[in-house]
Amino acid sequence: MIKSLIKHPDKLITIKEIVETYRVAYGTARNDLFRLEELGYLAKRKSGKEYIFIFRGWKE
């Protein structure tokens, strides 16, 4: 997932996309994305009922 974020930094990411792409449980995808947002690597926005995540870049 990190490699994909680096290659496509402007791409919007959803929990559903992570579930389908990496074949992980919804809870796992949600927890991982929320944790990356807490660490400052992703920005989280609400769009209707779903969250959209945007890559913020690497922290030095």
Side-chain angles (χ1 to χ4, degrees):
M1 181 170 84
I2 300 299
K3 286 182 182 180
S4 178
L5 292 172
I6 292 169
K7 287 182 183 178
H8 309 284
D10 297 328
K11 186 175 186 315
L12 302 177
I13 306 160
T14 64
I15 297 170
K16 181 179 177 182
E17 180 182 351
I18 297 301
V19 168
E20 292 172 356
T21 302
Y22 298 101
R23 306 183 116 202
V24 296
Y26 180 89
T28 300
R30 183 182 186 281
N31 289 339
D32 289 352
L33 290 171
F34 274 60
R35 181 66 178 143
L36 288 171
E37 189 260 336
E38 286 175 8
L39 294 172
Y41 295 112
L42 299 176
K44 177 177 65 179
R45 304 282 183 262
K46 186 102 173 178
S47 177
K49 290 186 176 183
E50 73 177 343
Y51 287 104
I52 295 174
F53 296 86
I54 304 161
F55 185 55
R56 296 174 106 185
W58 292 112
K59 292 173 130 183
E60 296 295 322

